[in-house]
């Protein structure tokens, strides 16, 4: 219980810091965001009286000193009121983000779990069979990890969409279909997700495989593994129950650390494929100077990474009980 409370306290402070940084972001931007938007509005027509106050409220800037503005910001955040989106005006930011989150969550979640499971399994086998032909293939897989997300995405897009024409060029689904749980829509969404998911898996599986392989080789030399072999236990029991269980611990911690890089990389990947997730939404917000939408996307990504790190900390504490002991 003390371990859980310590973790909750740490992540509560991290969440408060993220919220505070998000509050100051529009105020740190050079110039006045409201004036910038009014100037752009003036190019297409006259600015109506009171529009400046409306824009300030929509952006969450408010009036008064910073303390009053910060209190208004926290009150609006508690109601999940991020204002209206400039890009998709007059749609609320909450609706825009709510439409984009499931696309990224399903795509990145499935691709990340697949790459981790595949990399750890192959790394375990390579470490167990060290010195074999299979083990000699490990260094070549790290080449994929060195390739930038966007470059690999462009390469896959060119080969499978332009040259061979077997997969869609971009987007999240066939726009002639209605969004729903119909077989046609789900099949179209799965087809459009193949290349983005393959980009994530190919870019990250090599790193997981190499890390697990090296830890397996180190763990196999430990005394408890040698003792298990001397007892005549089945090789599968030794490999999974003794060696892999302990070798996977650094990978569990590494998963939490690398999650932020996976999410940021997926943002670029979504932009390349015009995939209707958080990355593509963020691009639209930046291009249209949509500060409310940018703030909401920032908070969703930050809280997503914090939540994933918190869950990984809990899993790590269960796998290795020593981490629950207070120092």
């Amino acid at each position: 219980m003390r371990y859980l409370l310590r973790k909750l306290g740490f992540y509560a402070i991290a969440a408060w810091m993220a919220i505070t940084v998000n509050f100051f972001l529009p105020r740190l931007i050079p110039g006045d965001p409201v004036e910038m938007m009014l100037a752009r509005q003036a190019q297409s027509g006259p600015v109506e009286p009171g529009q400046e106050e409306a824009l300030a409220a929509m952006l969450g800037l408010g009036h008064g000193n910073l303390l009053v503005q910060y209190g208004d910001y926290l009150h609006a955040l508690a109601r999940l009121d991020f204002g209206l989106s400039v890009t998709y005006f007059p749609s609320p930011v909450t609706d825009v983000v709510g439409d984009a989150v499931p696309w990224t969550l399903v795509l990145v979640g499935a691709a990340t779990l697949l790459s981790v499971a595949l990399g750890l399994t192959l790394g375990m086998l390579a470490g167990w069979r060290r010195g074999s032909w299979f083990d000699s293939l490990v260094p070549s897989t790290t080449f994929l990890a060195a390739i930038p997300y966007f470059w690999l995405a462009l390469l896959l897009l060119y080969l499978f969409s332009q040259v061979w024409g077997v997969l869609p060029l971009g987007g999240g689904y066939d726009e002639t279909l209605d969004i729903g749980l119909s077989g046609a829509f789900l099949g179209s969404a799965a087809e459009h997700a193949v290349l983005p998911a393959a980009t994530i898996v190919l870019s990250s599986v090599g790193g997981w495989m190499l890390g697990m392989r090296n830890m397996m080789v180190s763990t196999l030399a430990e005394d408890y593994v040698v003792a298990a072999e001397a007892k005549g236990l089945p090789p599968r029991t030794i490999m999974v129950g003794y060696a892999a269980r302990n070798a996977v611990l650094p990978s569990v911690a590494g998963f939490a650390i690398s999650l932020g890089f996976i999410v940021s990389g997926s943002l670029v990947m979504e932009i390349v494929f015009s995939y209707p997730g958080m990355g593509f939404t963020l691009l639209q917000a930046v291009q249209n100077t949509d500060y409310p939408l940018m703030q909401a996307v920032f908070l969703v990504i930050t809280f997503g990474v914090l939540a994933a790190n918190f869950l990984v900390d809990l899993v790590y504490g269960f796998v290795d009980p020593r981490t629950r002991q207070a120092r």
Side-chain angles (χ1 to χ4, degrees), residues 87-88 93 95-109 170-173 175 179 189 192-193 196 200 263-286 293-294 296-298 300-301:
T87 307
Y88 302 94
V93 170
D95 293 345
V96 177
V97 173
D99 292 338
V101 165
W103 291 96
T104 295
L105 189 62
V106 173
L107 174 67
V108 177
Y173 61 96
E175 295 185 356
I179 298 178
H192 283 74
I200 297 176
V263 173
S264 61
S266 71
L267 298 182
V268 179
M269 176 272 302
E270 288 181 3
I271 294 173
V272 173
F273 289 103
S274 299
Y275 196 78
M278 296 296 290
F280 187 72
T281 301
L282 180 60
L283 174 65
Q284 298 299 313
V286 172
L293 188 54
M294 281 190 280
V297 172
F298 170 77
V300 169
I301 294 175

Side-chain angles (χ1 to χ4, degrees), residues 5 18 56 63 110 122 136 138 144 152 202 204 215 236 249 266 286:
L5 292 176
H63 298 282
L122 294 177
S136 63
V138 175
L144 294 174
L152 182 58
L202 291 177
S204 55
M215 287 304 303
R236 184 176 180 180
L249 293 178
S266 71
V286 172

Side-chain angles (χ1 to χ4, degrees), residues 141-320:
T141 62
T142 58
F143 172 75
L144 294 174
I147 301 178
Y149 272 85
F150 69 90
W151 192 90
L152 182 58
L154 291 173
L155 178 62
L156 294 178
L157 195 62
Y158 172 74
L159 292 176
F160 287 91
S161 298
Q162 294 288 341
V163 178
W164 299 321
V166 295
L167 290 172
L169 185 62
Y173 61 96
D174 187 350
E175 295 185 356
T176 61
L177 301 174
D178 295 328
I179 298 178
L181 297 179
S182 63
F185 171 77
L186 293 178
S188 176
E191 185 181 25
H192 283 74
V194 170
L195 289 182
T199 301
I200 297 176
V201 173
L202 291 177
S203 297
S204 55
V205 69
W208 295 111
M209 184 177 178
L210 179 62
M212 185 63 180
R213 183 264 177 198
N214 292 339
M215 287 304 303
M216 277 291 292
V217 172
S218 177
T219 304
L220 288 173
E222 296 292 338
D223 293 338
Y224 57 86
V225 177
V226 176
E229 293 175 341
K231 292 179 181 179
L233 296 178
R236 184 176 180 180
T237 301
I238 298 174
M239 179 181 66
V240 177
Y242 285 79
R245 181 178 180 181
N246 291 277
V248 79
L249 293 178
S251 296
V252 173
F255 174 75
I257 297 173
S258 64
L259 186 62
F261 297 100
I262 293 174
V263 173
S264 61
S266 71
L267 298 182
V268 179
M269 176 272 302
E270 288 181 3
I271 294 173
V272 173
F273 289 103
S274 299
Y275 196 78
M278 296 296 290
F280 187 72
T281 301
L282 180 60
L283 174 65
Q284 298 299 313
V286 172
Q287 290 178 339
N288 294 280
T289 323
D290 192 343
Y291 295 107
L293 188 54
M294 281 190 280
Q295 283 184 294
V297 172
F298 170 77
L299 273 185
V300 169
I301 294 175
T302 303
F303 275 83
V305 173
L306 288 176
N309 277 263
F310 176 67
L311 292 177
V312 170
D313 274 345
L314 295 182
V315 172
Y316 195 80
F318 174 77
V319 175
D320 188 1

